[in-house]
Amino acid sequence: MSQPSHPADRAAEPVYNLLYEDEDARVCKDIPESECRHQPRNFVMASLALSLTKSGDRLMDPKIMLAWLFSVLGVPSVFVGFLAPIRESLALLPQLFIARWIRERPVRKLFWTAGSLGQALCLAGMALVAVSAEGVRAGVLILALLALFAISRSICSVTHKDVLGKTVSKTRRGAVSGYASSLSGIAAGGLGIALIAVNTEEPGPLFFAVILGVAALLWALAAGAYALISESPGATEGGRNGLVEAIRQMSILKTDAPFRRFVIARTAFLATALATPFYVSIAQSRTGADLAGLGGFLFASAAASALGGAVWGRLADRSSRWVMIASGLVAALAALIVLVPLGLGLAWANSAGLYIAAVFILSIAHQGVRQGRSTYIVDLGTTDTRAAYTAVSNTTIGVLLLAAGAATGLIYQIFGEAIVWVLGGSALLAALLSLRLKPVSG
């Protein structure tokens, strides 16, 4: 490999050589020749950018941080139900509109940079709201900024896989995400442990403003790192309007029974995505938990993500259907852990540790749901149907997420802690529905 001349190439070279000692030219066989000499820079900058954003994701996790902030600001409980749906569905649905438009641009890395800066600005806005508003006004403003954050995220999601495919060889791409996930998990776990060690009184709005500000800075730095990637112009043809394609193929829900049963089961599994903010909100209201409690939730989520990914991935290769069944049962167990002390009036019901344990188990279950459903739909589909399955299921679930968020938020507002029965029952129903799925592996 020739001596790098660009400053970013020179800075990245030692890091890349530390990770990969070989200089085998074959690692460049499926990327443009013009990018081969820049691969160390591209690998390091992509890994750095993703590490920064994934760490930011952990810091501002809507299911934990924003749910807790809502309690601190006195936001009505109905708003809690919208945190996960807005974050998830608005990061998914816009991709159907914008993918074709981005595909028509030969150089796409700046879309990722712009999306990352957009997320940084939204987080900075949330930090400002945290110290200047409360009640309904704070809830509306934060949800609006979260919606814009999710839309900006969708731009990054559409762009990244395409840019990565042009700038990093296939034998190195998995490591980009792998290193990012590991580093972000360490960062989140470290923050959780630090908050547990501090163990002071309940955090106020200023604490959350600082956390959101730090997360915004991470996204801004990530935008700068990604802009340093060397990307050659790529093909601009072949893009399709994803929304039009999804609507055109919606009929498969009626004609394809195995796929229809999968979508129904996946709908019931929405409970695992929706439940965490409610658990956090109930814990905060019952225990008035301090920084140690918040740190416990962050650590539990990070640990569950690391553990769940390692366990479920291997099991899904044997039988993704049974992974979905097991995940639903585990999520129902998490609900039971909360419901029994609440129902019996035990002292545990006022312990932050109870809810932290439930969130840990629930997070492991949600990892299994995600791994199982993604593997199942790939195995269920064929070369001819796989794209349609993905587009239709993602569109359907994206819309239903918003509806489910409104429904669960309203239930929580009216019936309070009874929401745990609803979510636990939905997870159990999802496991039972998964028993009826067509076996595709194992």
Side-chain angles (χ1 to χ4, degrees), residues 6 20 41 76 94 110 124 167 187 214 227 252 258 261 271 294 301 303 335 341 364 368 371 396 400 414 416 436:
H6 192 283
Y20 295 105
R41 184 219 300 192
L110 293 182
T167 60
V214 171
I252 63 175
R261 286 195 289 269
L294 180 57
S301 178
I364 288 180
Q371 185 68 56
T396 303
L400 290 176
I414 298 173
R436 299 180 61 246

Side-chain angles (χ1 to χ4, degrees), residues 22 48 63 101 103 116-117 123 127 162 178 182 184 208 223 245 254 256 321 338 348 356 369 376 402:
D22 68 277
L48 176 60
K63 297 180 180 181
W101 180 68
R103 173 71 180 176
S116 189
L117 287 175
L123 291 172
D162 197 37
S182 297
S184 66
F208 291 95
E245 288 296 309
K254 180 179 180 180
D256 191 327
R321 182 173 72 104
V338 172
W348 297 352
I356 291 171
V369 170
Y376 184 86
L402 292 174

Side-chain angles (χ1 to χ4, degrees), residues 115-134:
S116 189
L117 287 175
Q119 291 172 88
L121 289 173
C122 290
L123 291 172
M126 290 182 199
L128 182 60
V129 171
V131 294
S132 63
E134 57 185 18

Side-chain angles (χ1 to χ4, degrees), residues 237-277:
E237 67 280 351
R240 294 184 176 182
N241 187 307
L243 182 64
V244 171
E245 288 296 309
I247 292 174
R248 185 176 66 84
Q249 304 202 54
M250 278 291 178
S251 61
I252 63 175
L253 285 171
K254 180 179 180 180
T255 60
D256 191 327
F259 175 66
R260 181 174 64 250
R261 286 195 289 269
F262 166 76
V263 172
I264 292 172
R266 185 178 174 185
T267 300
F269 273 122
L270 289 178
T272 67
L274 296 171
T276 296

